[in-house]
Amino acid sequence: MDRAALDDRDRAFATRLAYGTVQRRATLDHVIVTLATRPTRDLHPAVLAALRLGLYQLLYLDGVAPHAAVGEAVELAKEAPGRGHALANAVLRRAAKEGGAILASLSDDTAAAAAVRHSHPRWIAELWWRALGPDHARALLAADNEPAEAAVRANTLVTTRDRLCAALRERGVPCEPAAEVEDGLVLGAPFDAHGSELFRDGALMPQSRAAMLVSRVLDPQPGDDLLDLCAAPGAKTTHLAALMNGAGRIVAVERHAGRAAALERTCRRMQATIVEVEVGDAASSREQAFDRVLVDPPCSGLGTLQSRPDRRWRAQPESVAELAQRQAAILRAGADALRPGGTLVYSTCTISPAENEHVVERFLSDRCDFSADDLQADLSLWEHPSVDRHLLALPHRDLTDGFFIARLRRDAAADPNRPSA
């Protein structure tokens, strides 16, 4: 989006329109099928896109005049060949009268029904129905269509949380300290963090409270040798450097050269001078033993659907098993690189047992030299609904990204040359 072409108000409206239309796609398509009496696959893509935009404004946005929403959508539909704009006009005019009743008739008594009402792929609704139970699943599905929390981390290599909060308030951005993380701030109004001079100067990093907690659970100390696997884009890497007060060494591994270069730029901006970026495969074995290891592998990202509205439609159920295999391989490599007596944190930004607790359970069943800390007892927050010891932040309950966090410790008497099982 061209920032120079829109003022703050118009940019906020355009963002909400784009995000909301993508988020509500399944529900909007249900209304289209009901009123057009034909499947959406039979519609020209330009007509379908125009219908979705118009319907979203009619059904979910206050302050938009119905005639304006219909008129603009019909004009967009005219980009398609043929008479598709006439169909769009008819459907939208009916929706202005009947759309509310159609939405009101939707239930979420079953996973399949909830997928339509709350606009998710059916497989995700069914996954959460099984993993969390119907009540948590319904609430989570509904929460995914709400705005994500606005939170930033104060980079203590550059500033303090109090000074950053004061600077934000001077710019008209209300903020409050996050209860869970000492350097976090929760913002009370929209803020273009990436476009601000505070971001450019390295004073802040946009980051959810759940993502911030990952680094704090690892509890790095000044002087540590630390391994950060799958490190890009660098929010956690630079947080670890700040928690170490810029003393020690972090080897940050990233597989893709372009992402690694971006990670280096982020570290320079955040003054994280102790970070050494390494281009390589996170699942590869290593010669050096590290004091602490962060394993934050690629995942399905189902905990971040509020801020990434297209992810729900791009994620595929068959990819979960493939991801779990990759995650397990990276966890084994991270464990092998950990010195006896060291600490490892395994985290993902997804809500998927196959990628979370099942990966950890299988690992622990193979590695008697590792044990899991009871994080629920230590931190008394973000209780996992079905598994002891680990944390699971849930957007509907904890008002932050969905994150799984497990902390593992290697027996101090373990053989440092023991190969992975």
Side-chain angles (χ1 to χ4, degrees), residues 3-4 78 93 164 172 186 191 232 288-289:
R3 295 177 183 274
K78 289 180 179 179
R93 289 185 180 280
L164 177 61
V186 179
F191 174 59
Q288 180 187 350

Side-chain angles (χ1 to χ4, degrees), residues 41-355:
R41 65 176 178 271
D42 290 348
L43 300 176
H44 188 280
V47 174
L48 180 57
L51 278 169
R52 287 170 174 166
L53 284 166
L55 281 174
Y56 181 74
Q57 293 179 78
L58 289 171
L59 301 178
Y60 292 104
L61 288 187
D62 296 327
V64 178
H67 71 273
V70 173
E72 290 295 329
V74 170
E75 287 301 311
L76 287 174
K78 289 180 179 179
E79 297 294 323
R83 297 280 300 165
H85 65 281
L87 171 69
N89 184 57
V91 169
L92 291 169
R93 289 185 180 280
R94 285 190 63 189
K97 299 176 181 178
E98 305 171 33
I102 295 173
L103 293 185
S105 70
L106 297 175
S107 76
D108 53 9
D109 293 341
T110 66
V116 175
R117 179 175 177 177
H118 301 298
S119 191
H120 283 67
R122 181 168 173 170
W123 73 270
I124 294 179
E126 291 174 343
L127 169 67
W128 290 344
W129 223 257
R130 295 189 303 269
L132 304 174
D135 290 341
H136 271 303
R138 288 188 195 96
L140 177 54
L141 291 164
D144 275 346
N145 296 316
E146 298 301 321
E149 75 168 342
V152 296
R153 173 175 58 82
N155 179 18
T156 54
L157 295 171
V158 173
T159 187
T160 67
R161 182 168 73 173
D162 288 345
R163 288 204 297 269
L164 177 61
C165 188
L168 289 168
R169 287 173 175 166
E170 288 174 1
R171 290 159 175 79
V173 182
C175 55
E176 296 294 335
E180 302 85 356
V181 281
E182 295 177 6
D183 38 13
L185 291 169
V186 179
L187 309 185
F191 174 59
D192 181 13
H194 289 97
S196 73
E197 73 278 12
L198 294 170
F199 178 86
R200 185 189 63 237
D201 295 341
L204 63 79
M205 173 66 76
Q207 198 173 14
S208 72
R209 289 175 293 123
M212 294 181 215
L213 189 67
V214 172
S215 298
R216 287 200 165 271
V217 168
L218 185 58
D219 192 27
Q221 300 299 309
D224 276 348
D225 262 326
L226 191 150
L227 177 64
D228 181 5
L229 296 176
C230 310
K236 297 184 187 70
T237 309
T238 54
H239 193 190
L240 293 167
L243 292 173
M244 293 165 66
N245 296 326
R249 175 172 174 256
I250 299 174
V251 176
V253 180
E254 173 52 45
R255 185 176 186 177
H256 300 283
R259 287 168 58 85
L263 172 60
E264 289 181 328
R265 292 192 294 272
T266 295
C267 290
R268 286 196 297 270
R269 179 175 58 80
M270 301 292 283
Q271 300 187 26
T273 57
I274 63 172
V275 177
E276 301 173 10
V277 177
E278 176 184 306
V279 179
D281 186 351
S284 297
S285 60
R286 303 184 177 280
E287 296 294 332
Q288 180 187 350
F290 292 85
D291 301 306
R292 298 174 200 270
V293 175
L294 174 60
V295 176
D296 186 44
C299 68
S300 57
L302 301 184
T304 62
L305 301 186
Q306 287 181 321
S307 57
R308 300 174 181 176
D310 60 326
R311 185 176 285 264
R312 71 185 72 182
W313 308 118
R314 291 190 292 107
Q316 298 298 323
E318 56 270 17
S319 69
V320 169
E322 297 173 4
L323 284 165
Q325 290 181 354
R326 176 70 176 162
Q327 292 154 355
I330 296 172
L331 176 55
R332 289 193 298 269
D336 289 342
L338 186 68
R339 66 163 176 78
T343 304
L344 180 150
V345 163
Y346 176 85
S347 70
T348 73
C349 59
T350 195
I351 305 168
S352 166
E355 301 174 72

